[in-house]
């Protein structure tokens, strides 16, 4: 592998991205024979086939995916080297690719705006996705830092809590349980829930919360793929929902939704800044992480008295 070149690794990336040699060549500004030669040299060096040639295009083999991962890691490290050189020169510049789970979109732009005002020469890009998409972006090194409520477990990460993340049950204002105090878990379990997709952080927390009610998690309720759709469904009277309190501040203030007083709620979790533990930390990333630890909680939506005497989440499974 000592004879590998950056051009060869870029060819692998382009073939994966574009599916065909001719498309990869166009993206790289090369001729198709030149890309074919680079691929052949890599396959000879590895002694393995890097792509299966199919009628639908070029599909990476296990060896091809290993080369792709190496190419992405080298590209990432070179970008950070550029940031480090700026830091050595005393210039507060760089770039950060920030990922955020969909629930965090209610505060991530304000947080970014505050950071960029303080550090105007650091460029930022925000990518919003559900939990699975955000974890995939971490795996593929497409983002540098993720804002999420439950750190990924199948990717090597370092996670730091920067703010409180309360989870509550909401209902329309005319719901029979609105205004009722200390609703039991068994009583709330009788209600029809509007829920997020499997694997989402709030869905997992709801399954844990209702796990002690026999048979309840076998059929949780009507599934919807976004907090906005869930809020609209609750306001329309289709059911109640277990949701992040940070997504409903406007609707509660406007009187369109109410938070039900359920025993053991709100469940208090935390927001985390998550980075790959095998990811070199650039000066820009370190600056943003420090900002989150100092000021991140200031940009989370505010409520009045939200917590009862206790409202801590059960331990993660």
């Amino acid at each position: 592998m000592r004879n590998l070149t950056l051009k060869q690794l870029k060819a692998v990336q382009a073939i994966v991205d574009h599916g065909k040699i001719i498309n990869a060549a166009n993206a790289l500004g090369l001729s198709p024979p030149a890309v074919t030669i680079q691929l052949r040299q890599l396959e000879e060096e590895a002694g393995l086939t890097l792509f299966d040639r199919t009628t639908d295009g070029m599909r990476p083999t296990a060896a091809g995916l290993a080369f792709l991962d190496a190419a992405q890691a080298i590209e990432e490290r070179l970008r950070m080297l550029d940031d480090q050189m700026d830091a050595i020169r005393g210039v507060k510049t760089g770039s950060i690719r920030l990922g955020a789970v969909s629930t965090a979109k209610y505060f991530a732009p304000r947080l970014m705006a505050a950071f960029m005002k303080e550090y105007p020469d650091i460029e930022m890009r925000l990518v919003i996705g559900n939990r699975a998409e955000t974890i995939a972006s971490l795996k593929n090194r497409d983002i540098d830092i993720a804002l999420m409520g439950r750190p990924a477990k199948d990717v090597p990460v370092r996670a730091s809590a920067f703010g409180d993340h309360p989870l509550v049950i909401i209902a329309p204002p005319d719901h029979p349980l609105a205004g009722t105090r200390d609703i039991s878990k068994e009583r709330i379990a009788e209600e029809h829930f509007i829920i997020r997709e499997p694997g989402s952080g709030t869905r997992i927390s709801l399954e844990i919360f209702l796990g002690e009610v026999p048979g309840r998690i076998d059929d949780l309720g009507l599934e919807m793929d976004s907090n906005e759709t869930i809020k609209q469904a609750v306001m329309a009277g289709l059911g109640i929902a277990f949701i992040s309190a940070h997504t409903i501040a406007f609707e509660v203030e406007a009187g369109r939704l109410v938070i039900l007083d359920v025993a053991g709620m709100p469940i208090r979790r935390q927001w985390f800044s998550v980075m790959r533990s095998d990811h070199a930390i650039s000066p820009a990333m370190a600056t943003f992480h420090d900002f989150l630890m100092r000021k991140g909680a200031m940009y989370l939506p505010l409520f009045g008295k939200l917590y009862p005497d206790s409202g801590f989440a059960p331990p993660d499974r």
Side-chain angles (χ1 to χ4, degrees):
M1 298 296 103
R2 293 181 179 178
N3 296 320
L4 297 183
T5 67
L6 287 176
K7 288 184 178 180
Q8 290 171 335
L9 291 176
K10 283 184 178 296
V12 170
Q13 284 182 289
I15 295 170
V16 172
D17 290 341
H18 299 282
K20 294 183 179 180
I21 293 286
I22 188 169
N23 295 338
N26 289 335
L28 293 170
L30 300 172
S31 66
V35 175
T36 300
I37 290 171
Q38 290 176 344
L39 176 58
R40 185 180 300 124
Q41 289 172 339
L42 276 180
E43 290 183 325
E44 289 175 356
E45 181 77 17
L48 294 165
T49 300
L50 302 190
F51 290 89
D52 289 327
R53 282 72 170 172
T54 73
T55 55
D56 295 329
M58 308 280 281
R59 295 187 176 178
T61 62
L65 291 173
F67 271 88
L68 176 65
D69 185 63
Q72 291 171 331
I74 291 171
E75 184 177 65
E76 172 189 290
R77 189 64 188 87
L78 289 174
R79 185 174 65 85
M80 291 187 178
L81 178 61
D82 189 44
D83 288 351
Q84 288 173 326
M85 294 303 101
D86 283 338
I88 291 171
R89 288 191 292 268
V91 181
K92 280 286 186 182
T93 63
S95 61
I96 301 169
R97 300 167 300 175
L98 181 65
V101 294
S102 54
T103 302
K105 71 181 182 182
Y106 295 90
F107 65 82
R110 286 202 313 132
L111 193 153
M112 279 181 60
F115 175 76
M116 294 172 73
K117 183 176 181 180
E118 194 167 326
Y119 301 97
D121 294 323
I122 295 181
E123 297 179 3
M124 292 195 76
R125 178 168 64 90
L126 177 63
V127 180
I128 301 291
N130 62 29
R131 177 177 168 80
E133 291 166 342
T134 302
I135 291 174
S137 293
L138 276 172
K139 281 184 177 180
N140 297 333
R141 303 175 188 271
D142 293 330
I143 57 176
D144 301 313
I145 300 175
L147 306 180
M148 57 200 315
R150 295 171 64 91
K153 294 184 178 180
D154 53 349
V155 185
V157 298
R158 56 172 67 90
S160 303
F162 68 87
D164 211 14
H165 184 195
L167 303 171
V168 298
I169 291 180
I170 57 171
D174 60 352
H175 191 279
L177 293 177
T180 304
R181 297 295 305 276
D182 294 324
I183 304 165
S184 70
K185 182 182 297 188
E186 291 72 22
R187 174 62 185 89
I188 204 68
E190 296 173 5
E191 294 293 313
H192 181 73
F193 280 82
I194 313 295
I195 57 175
R196 286 293 300 270
E197 73 280 359
S200 77
T202 50
R203 171 77 169 261
I204 293 169
S205 294
L206 178 61
E207 290 171 348
I208 293 173
F209 181 73
L210 295 179
E212 298 175 3
V213 181
R216 186 60 185 88
I217 64 173
D218 296 335
D219 181 20
L220 279 176
L222 181 62
E223 186 177 306
M224 296 187 177
D225 63 0
S226 76
N227 290 317
E228 289 302 314
T229 307
I230 287 175
K231 289 190 292 185
Q232 292 297 323
V234 173
M235 287 187 282
L238 291 179
I240 65 174
F242 179 76
I243 198 167
S244 166
H246 289 147
T247 69
I248 58 168
F250 175 76
E251 290 81 4
V252 170
E253 183 178 345
R256 302 176 69 190
L257 290 172
V258 296
I259 298 174
L260 297 183
D261 185 2
V262 179
M265 290 215 172
I267 290 177
R268 177 191 269 169
R269 293 200 181 278
Q270 291 178 305
W271 282 111
F272 290 89
S273 166
V274 179
M275 295 180 279
R276 289 184 62 127
S277 57
D278 57 355
H279 189 309
I281 301 176
S282 71
M285 289 169 62
T287 301
F288 182 69
H289 181 266
D290 177 67
F291 176 85
L292 274 180
M293 296 305 105
R294 290 185 293 108
K295 299 183 178 180
M298 295 169 52
Y299 298 98
L300 298 175
L302 297 176
F303 285 85
K305 181 173 173 55
L306 183 63
Y307 297 128
D309 293 336
S310 63
F312 290 90
D316 289 350
R317 290 178 177 175

